């Protein structure tokens, strides 16, 4: 998805219990995006407050953070990076192009469907 890190970092899978009492850096943007994408009501809409503002990310962040602190005595440092590194520019361009293509396709399908519906009503 992002920049390939395997040439400079080796993956080591460990149990969460092995990190008891440690300080961990957390990808803040990644965490928030994960909760926005996953925490939904049964009908698929995100959680919202009484003013209609999305709160899925806050709920997820609160519950996961409190669990990690309470159950594993972890100190969490949330890192929110700035602009993406130049090495990620190609990936970002590819994602934007894909997004534009999907939106264009959806718009064309919607236009065709509404056009057919209007044609049937006139008959």
């Amino acid at each position: 998805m992002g920049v390939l890190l395997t040439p400079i970092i080796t993956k080591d899978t460990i149990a969460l219990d092995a990190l008891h009492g440690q300080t961990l850096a957390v990808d803040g943007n990644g965490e928030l995006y994960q909760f926005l994408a996953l925490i939904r009501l049964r009908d698929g809409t995100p959680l919202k407050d009484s003013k209609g503002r999305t709160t899925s990310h806050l709920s997820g962040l609160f519950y996961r953070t409190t669990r990690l602190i309470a159950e594993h005595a972890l100190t969490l440092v949330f890192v929110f990076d700035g602009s993406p590194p130049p090495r990620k520019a190609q990936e970002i361009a590819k994602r934007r192009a894909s997004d534009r293509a999907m939106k264009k396709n959806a718009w064309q399908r919607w236009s065709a469907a509404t056009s057919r519906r209007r044609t049937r009503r006139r008959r």
Side-chain angles (χ1 to χ4, degrees):
M1 194 149 121
V3 175
L4 186 63
L5 296 175
T6 50
I8 57 174
I9 297 176
T10 58
K11 182 178 178 179
D12 187 17
T13 304
I14 60 173
L16 192 55
D17 290 335
L19 298 173
H20 187 86
Q22 298 291 312
T23 299
L24 301 177
V26 177
D27 176 1
N29 290 323
E31 287 284 295
L32 294 175
Y33 179 77
Q34 180 184 40
F35 296 132
L36 283 170
L38 295 178
I39 299 178
R40 305 278 173 160
L41 298 174
R42 289 180 191 224
D43 67 357
T45 59
L47 299 179
K48 295 186 182 216
D49 67 9
S50 61
K51 294 182 180 179
R53 298 174 294 196
T54 301
T55 59
S56 297
H57 58 303
L58 301 175
S59 298
L61 191 61
F62 174 76
Y63 289 115
R64 182 177 290 170
T65 301
T66 54
R67 185 181 63 80
L68 290 172
I69 291 170
E71 294 177 12
H72 302 284
L74 296 175
T75 300
L76 303 175
V77 178
F78 289 89
V79 179
F80 294 91
D81 53 356
S83 300
R87 293 182 350 186
K88 197 170 181 179
Q90 185 178 7
E91 178 66 25
I92 291 170
K94 186 172 93 178
R95 290 179 192 174
R96 286 185 179 148
S98 174
D99 186 52
R100 280 193 299 272
M102 284 189 295
K103 286 179 181 174
K104 182 179 178 182
N105 182 291
W107 176 254
Q108 289 171 341
R109 291 174 60 205
W110 179 83
S111 295
T114 56
S115 176
R116 284 191 302 269
R117 191 177 317 141
R118 277 188 243 122
T119 303
R120 275 189 248 146
R121 286 183 188 164
R122 290 181 193 154
R123 291 179 188 173

